[in-house]
Amino acid sequence: MKAFYKKKNYFMKHWPLYSMILPGVLYFVIFKYIPLAGSIIAFQDYNVFKGITGSAFVGFKHFLTLFTYPEFTQVFGNTLLISLYKLVLGFPAPIILALLLNEVRKMAFKRTVQTVLYLPHFLSWVIVGGLVINLLSPSTGIINEIIRVFGGKEIFFMQEPSYFRSIVVGSGIWKDVGWNTIIYMAALAGINPQLYEAAEVDGAGKLRQVWNITLPSMLPTIMILLLLQIGNILDLGFEQIYMLLNPLVRETGEVIDTYIYRVGLVGGQFSYTTAIGIFKSVIGLVLIVGANQLSKKTTGSSIY
């Protein structure tokens, strides 16, 4: 009884703090945890009119379909390839940008550059997608205008499957690189300036200081963000792909998110696409647990 009153007094004392975190907790409970109960339809032939309780249980039927259906194999391959491109090319981009901005000494110029780089993050993919399509237009796009100036022939970028993945990765980097830099700039601000002063006394140049001081100091932040990105490696973002995708590039551009929309919501195959969602979640869980253990053993940094 005494312990109960002790806990009650503790919560009463810190109620402002708990009232601040309550909306976040409610968000995850309502929109993340409660919907997990609906995952049972992956093991049913779900019928909207019969509901979960009235639909027939079919076991792993939809999972077997998932692994034997050629279209899903292609979609999964597209998702994995684009995710790897984003990881290899997109993840280092804000780190490099933060290192470059950290060397700028004129604060007015530095703030101006940061503001310009942050702005695309606040634009929706409807706007960014329209900009990309207009820039790459074969008739009025500035890219093809430059190609024609140098005597080349216009390229139908948005209709060529071989260009689609590069366009997706490039536009994603352009939109979010400035925003992602904020975290790394905060990590750089926490480095003790005396370390650089001591390095200069020892004769270390800028590159040596970056390699021996800056990057090791940023390593915990880099590893945590890398682990989070690995855990979400199959989540490419529906909006970007949907805005840029068209029937001519579907063979190389359709990913799991757009496939779920097309087959599940539009086609009405709710059980099949729920099975895909569970499969994607399991892959993400395995990757983040494995990467976390590897990071803990090699660098000492982990998310849990």
Side-chain angles (χ1 to χ4, degrees):
M1 198 68 177
K2 186 177 180 181
F4 172 76
Y5 282 112
K6 188 176 181 181
K7 289 182 180 179
K8 183 179 178 181
N9 291 333
Y10 177 82
F11 283 113
M12 291 298 292
K13 181 181 179 181
H14 299 282
W15 71 266
L17 180 62
Y18 286 99
S19 64
M20 290 174 63
I21 67 173
L22 184 61
V25 172
L26 289 176
Y27 167 80
F28 279 98
V29 170
I30 295 172
F31 296 104
K32 301 294 182 181
Y33 290 105
I34 293 178
L36 286 175
S39 299
I40 194 174
I41 69 175
F43 305 94
Q44 298 176 322
D45 271 334
Y46 179 71
N47 186 294
V48 176
F49 301 102
K50 292 181 180 179
I52 293 176
T53 55
S55 299
F57 183 80
V58 295
F60 291 94
K61 170 187 172 183
H62 299 294
F63 290 93
L64 294 174
T65 303
L66 184 153
F67 293 119
T68 56
Y69 199 42
E71 189 176 17
F72 176 75
T73 304
Q74 183 183 38
V75 169
F76 181 70
N78 291 341
T79 307
L80 202 57
L81 275 175
I82 296 175
S83 296
L84 288 174
Y85 292 157
K86 282 193 170 185
L87 186 64
V88 173
L89 301 175
F91 183 77
I95 301 173
I96 296 170
L97 181 59
L99 293 174
L100 293 174
L101 287 173
N102 190 53
E103 296 301 320
V104 177
R105 294 295 173 256
K106 293 185 178 180
M107 295 306 297
F109 177 73
K110 185 176 182 178
R111 291 194 186 100
T112 303
V113 172
Q114 285 178 303
T115 302
V116 171
L117 293 172
Y118 295 162
L119 285 177
H121 175 78
F122 299 100
L123 301 176
S124 70
W125 272 113
V126 175
I127 297 173
V128 175
L131 288 173
V132 171
I133 292 170
N134 286 329
L135 285 171
L136 300 177
S137 170
S139 56
T140 59
I142 189 171
I143 304 299
N144 274 300
E145 289 290 344
I146 294 172
I147 292 173
R148 280 192 287 267
V149 167
F150 286 96
K153 188 178 180 181
E154 65 271 4
I155 301 172
F156 291 78
F157 290 101
M158 298 305 299
Q159 286 77 41
E160 288 288 341
S162 58
Y163 290 111
F164 185 79
R165 291 169 183 159
S166 301
I167 293 169
V168 168
V169 174
S171 60
I173 293 173
W174 175 78
K175 186 176 186 296
D176 291 322
V177 67
W179 182 257
N180 294 333
T181 303
I182 294 175
I183 300 175
Y184 297 110
M185 292 295 292
L188 287 170
I191 300 175
N192 190 345
Q194 293 180 353
L195 295 173
Y196 294 107
E197 294 172 4
E200 287 181 1
V201 171
D202 291 338
K206 288 294 182 182
L207 289 177
R208 180 62 65 182
Q209 291 176 32
V210 168
W211 185 257
N212 289 337
I213 299 174
T214 308
L215 288 177
S217 300
M218 294 174 64
L219 187 60
T221 303
I222 292 172
M223 290 307 301
I224 289 173
L225 293 176
L226 178 61
L227 290 172
L228 293 174
Q229 187 160 339
I230 289 174
N232 295 316
I233 197 167
L234 297 183
D235 292 324
L236 290 174
F238 170 79
E239 296 88 351
Q240 180 190 13
I241 306 295
Y242 185 74
M243 283 304 304
L244 299 176
L245 193 65
N246 63 72
L248 295 176
V249 296
R250 193 177 297 279
E251 62 178 288
T252 59
E254 180 146 63
V255 297
I256 290 176
D257 292 330
T258 55
Y259 181 70
I260 288 175
Y261 170 77
R262 180 169 64 88
V263 176
L265 294 179
V266 178
Q269 299 185 46
F270 301 110
S271 295
Y272 174 59
T273 49
T274 302
I276 295 174
I278 292 176
F279 169 75
K280 187 173 78 168
S281 299
V282 170
I283 293 294
L285 177 63
V286 171
L287 286 174
I288 197 169
V289 170
N292 187 71
Q293 292 300 319
L294 182 62
S295 174
K296 187 183 292 186
K297 290 180 180 179
T298 55
T299 66
S301 300
S302 62
I303 56 177
Y304 63 87

